[in-house]
Amino acid sequence: MRGAVRFYFMQFLFGFGRHVPLVLTSGLVFVLVFVSDVNQAFGIRNLIWHEDEVKQGAVGFALGVVIVQTLLAGYLLETQRTPSGDRPSVSTFGPALTYGVGILACMLITGLPILWAVGPHWWTIIYGWPLVLGFAVAMCLYFIGVTLLPRDAASKSWVTRLGHHLFEGLAHIKLLHVPKAEPIDMPVHGIACVAMLFSVLVYVSVGAGPLMLFSPLVGVFALLGILVAGFGFFQYFLDYVHPALAMLMVGLIYMGGVSRYGLRYPDLEKFYSQPVPLSEYSPSRECDLLTADAIQFCSEKRGPYGENQKRPLVVVCVSGGGLRAAAWTTAVLNKLEAAFVKYVDDNGQPAPVDFPCHIRVIAGASGGMVGAGYYVANLPNPPPSPLERFDSYRHYDAVTADCLTPIVHAMTYHDIRSVFSPFGRPRDRGQALEAAWTESMRGVLDQTFDRMREGEKAGWRPSLVFSPMLVEEGRRLLISNLDLRGVASNDGTIIQEDRDLQTDPTIPARKLVNRFSYESIEFIRLFPLQEVRKSFRVATDARMRASFPYVSSAPTLPTEPR
């Protein structure tokens, strides 16, 4: 018992705990797997406890590899301050296995109270047997590596020779400070090399292989294992140059931010070389936008309403909430459409109503606009009367298809590397999201505003109003085919200061109109070229409106200031 307490304090708290990156890595794995407030909020839970058992098992194995890398790095760093004779060892397991099992036990003892308090759904691990199995396989390989392999004649074991080759090769690099390692540690150094190479192989394989072959978290955890192994290497061989490495890292991150327009919208690429001055923006600039008078809302017969006969006008406001809001919007609009087609009048006679043709404007927030954009862009051109299409299940499946996997994949294999690139990012996770929508929705959201304009003008296609927020100042960016100058600016009259002019009936009152502020900026007036309307897609608008911090990127508009 005394030895266990001594191990907890000396090896775990004041040994392993001194290496902050190793502690943070272990804590991150713990939080991602067990703390429901985190993994449910960001959708990580669905990637970890994947419904595909093979993918879930692969995630469990990748998790185990991260823990193995952490234990190997912790043990090898511990060998620098503890001679072989003073290391804790149980029976014939050897110090490396004793250290690994002991650290895992200490993590469990320390984390259980926290788990019980912040992870009320920890019991779901019972139903995630593939994850547990994959993790157990990785742990078994670690136990085999640090017990059986080193026993094979210390001087002849292939892992031992690999460790010797590592030290002999590094000894020729003058920049490195290669300490003298004890022979008993050479097999563990060899196993650490194998684990590092395996993590690199997995990371490259997941990035180069088919996207749906693995959960993207396999690549994330492989990258985390590489970073842990890298930390262990630099801490062991380059301890004295840590300040220089920190400065180098800061410099690389700074270089990654040199490009003022690193994250871009491809549909606006031609403007980034010559940004649009915001000082020249005017809400009065004439553009070919649709006014209320230009829309022929009642020009055609629709259901029980004849030509040029007034009919009910519907305005739809959708709420935000990510994929759930998109699914809800799609389901409700399709349900209303189907219900109105089956409508009967007071006399019990069928009186089908074309519900979409009564909708004039749809506006709203975030994920709701994704579902609304898909619904509007998917309307047939021109629609029959009454509208007859009841494939609502296919629409629902298209909107709720997995789009988190390509986002995390792009984040791991494009965005992280681009952080250190001064040349911008040719592809980011926002573009990956648009590509996922294109695939799941069969290109419906790839329609441009110019293509949708004629249907809006004819009165049968609802007008979409996307209103993403400019994070620099809090104003909205109104993206629509409608003329929204009255919404974009706050105008009013100035009360005349000269009282005589106000009271003298012989002098006509002056009507001085003043523009108090720009509440919003209209996208088409900001980028008035016709090519923009012909290239800017609904998918990009929906992505701008549904951007979520850290999950989807926040590109900059080609304006000055940006």
Side-chain angles (χ1 to χ4, degrees):
M1 184 65 183
R2 182 179 300 178
V5 173
R6 177 179 175 82
F7 184 93
Y8 183 86
F9 284 96
M10 299 305 299
Q11 301 294 323
F12 180 67
L13 287 184
F14 303 117
F16 182 84
R18 291 188 306 112
H19 308 297
V20 177
L22 302 183
V23 176
L24 292 179
T25 300
S26 306
L28 177 62
V29 171
F30 171 85
V31 168
L32 290 180
V33 176
F34 294 111
V35 180
S36 58
D37 290 341
V38 174
N39 58 35
Q40 286 185 359
F42 293 96
I44 301 173
R45 182 180 183 83
N46 296 328
L47 297 179
I48 295 178
W49 310 98
H50 204 285
E51 58 186 11
D52 187 321
E53 295 176 351
V54 175
K55 292 183 179 180
Q56 186 183 140
V59 172
F61 186 81
L63 275 171
V65 172
V66 174
I67 298 300
V68 167
Q69 295 277 31
T70 304
L71 296 176
L72 286 172
Y75 175 76
L76 292 176
L77 293 176
E78 184 67 21
T79 60
Q80 290 184 308
R81 68 168 190 161
T82 307
S84 58
D86 297 336
R87 298 173 198 168
S89 181
V90 176
S91 183
T92 58
F93 287 156
L97 180 58
T98 302
Y99 179 87
V101 174
I103 294 297
L104 288 175
C106 292
M107 288 181 182
L108 185 64
I109 294 173
T110 307
L112 269 180
I114 304 175
L115 179 62
W116 194 268
V118 302
H121 301 290
W122 61 272
W123 49 268
T124 54
I125 193 172
I126 299 174
Y127 303 100
W129 64 266
L131 185 84
V132 178
L133 180 61
F135 184 85
V137 170
M139 288 293 102
C140 289
L141 291 177
Y142 167 72
F143 295 152
I144 292 173
V146 297
T147 52
L148 299 183
L149 293 180
R151 292 182 181 181
D152 182 21
S155 61
K156 298 181 180 180
S157 172
W158 65 270
V159 290
T160 303
R161 294 198 303 271
L162 181 60
H164 280 294
H165 292 324
L166 171 68
F167 274 76
E168 292 173 359
L170 295 178
H172 297 291
I173 304 177
K174 296 182 179 180
L175 177 65
L176 300 179
H177 171 67
V178 181
K180 184 178 180 181
E182 299 186 23
I184 193 176
D185 297 328
M186 284 302 174
V188 185
H189 282 286
I191 295 171
C193 291
V194 173
M196 172 67 169
L197 294 175
F198 180 78
S199 295
V200 173
L201 179 62
V202 170
Y203 180 74
V204 174
S205 300
V206 174
L211 186 57
M212 295 303 175
L213 188 60
F214 298 100
S215 167
L217 282 190
V218 173
V220 173
F221 290 133
L223 178 61
L224 190 59
I226 294 172
L227 295 177
V228 169
F231 165 77
F233 177 86
F234 287 116
Q235 185 76 12
Y236 194 94
F237 295 105
L238 288 169
D239 188 26
Y240 66 98
V241 296
H242 280 181
L245 290 175
M247 294 178 63
L248 176 61
M249 182 64 67
V250 172
L252 290 174
I253 295 176
Y254 175 79
M255 289 297 295
V258 167
S259 176
R260 299 188 69 246
Y261 302 98
L263 288 171
R264 304 183 175 191
Y265 292 108
D267 297 339
L268 299 175
E269 187 63 38
K270 65 178 301 180
F271 286 95
Y272 285 98
S273 58
Q274 191 173 358
V276 175
L278 281 179
S279 58
E280 298 180 3
Y281 171 79
S282 172
S284 303
R285 174 184 291 172
E286 290 301 325
C287 293
D288 189 18
L289 292 170
L290 295 176
T291 61
D293 296 335
I295 298 175
Q296 303 169 10
F297 184 64
C298 302
S299 61
E300 296 182 4
K301 183 181 184 304
R302 290 293 170 189
Y305 303 97
E307 184 177 343
N308 296 323
Q309 180 184 359
K310 288 187 177 181
R311 65 175 188 262
L313 182 148
V314 178
V315 176
V316 177
C317 180
V318 298
S319 62
L323 198 62
R324 181 180 299 177
W328 172 256
T329 300
T330 303
V332 170
L333 290 176
N334 277 279
K335 185 68 174 179
L336 287 173
E337 178 185 323
F340 275 109
V341 168
K342 301 176 182 178
Y343 180 74
V344 294
D345 59 19
D346 296 336
N347 299 323
Q349 299 298 319
V353 176
D354 300 336
F355 175 69
C357 298
H358 288 270
I359 304 175
R360 180 74 293 279
V361 175
I362 299 182
S366 192
M369 287 303 294
V370 176
Y374 175 66
Y375 178 81
V376 172
N378 201 43
L379 291 173
N381 184 14
S385 180
L387 197 62
E388 296 177 355
R389 55 188 190 104
F390 299 106
D391 201 2
S392 58
Y393 289 104
R394 181 175 65 83
H395 297 167
Y396 183 86
D397 292 340
V399 171
T400 57
D402 177 22
C403 57
L404 186 60
T405 292
I407 290 177
V408 178
H409 188 272
M411 185 187 303
T412 309
Y413 290 94
H414 295 285
D415 291 355
I416 290 181
R417 290 180 294 182
S418 299
V419 169
F420 309 105
S421 173
F423 305 107
R425 306 182 187 184
R427 178 178 173 85
D428 57 58
R429 56 191 182 278
Q431 297 175 40
L433 175 60
E434 291 185 30
W437 285 341
T438 297
E439 181 178 355
S440 63
M441 302 181 192
R442 302 182 182 181
V444 172
L445 290 187
D446 288 340
Q447 295 190 57
T448 64
F449 267 75
D450 185 68
R451 183 177 178 183
M452 299 179 64
R453 185 178 185 276
E454 291 305 315
E456 296 179 43
K457 186 176 181 180
W460 60 264
R461 190 190 294 274
S463 293
L464 294 168
V465 180
F466 293 91
S467 54
M469 187 187 71
L470 304 175
V471 297
E472 291 81 5
E473 54 187 17
R475 285 193 289 186
R476 293 174 298 168
L477 181 71
L478 301 179
I479 308 175
S480 178
N481 280 322
L482 298 177
D483 189 335
L484 300 173
R485 73 179 73 187
V487 179
S489 63
N490 295 317
D491 304 335
T493 57
I494 299 177
I495 299 177
Q496 299 169 358
E497 297 180 359
D498 192 334
R499 187 170 182 78
D500 293 336
L501 295 179
Q502 293 179 335
T503 57
D504 190 344
T506 63
I507 303 177
R510 294 178 299 171
K511 295 182 179 180
L512 301 180
V513 178
N514 185 54
R515 179 161 292 123
F516 299 126
S517 65
Y518 298 138
E519 180 179 307
S520 307
I521 294 178
E522 291 183 88
F523 178 82
I524 298 299
R525 284 196 166 91
L526 183 61
F527 304 104
L529 295 183
Q530 187 66 22
E531 297 91 291
V532 174
R533 189 179 297 173
K534 290 182 178 180
S535 63
F536 209 72
R537 299 168 300 126
V538 177
T540 304
D541 303 329
R543 192 245 294 196
M544 293 171 70
R545 191 64 186 92
S547 291
F548 191 83
Y550 307 112
V551 177
S552 49
S553 56
T556 51
L557 292 173
T559 60
E560 183 59 46
R562 61 176 186 171

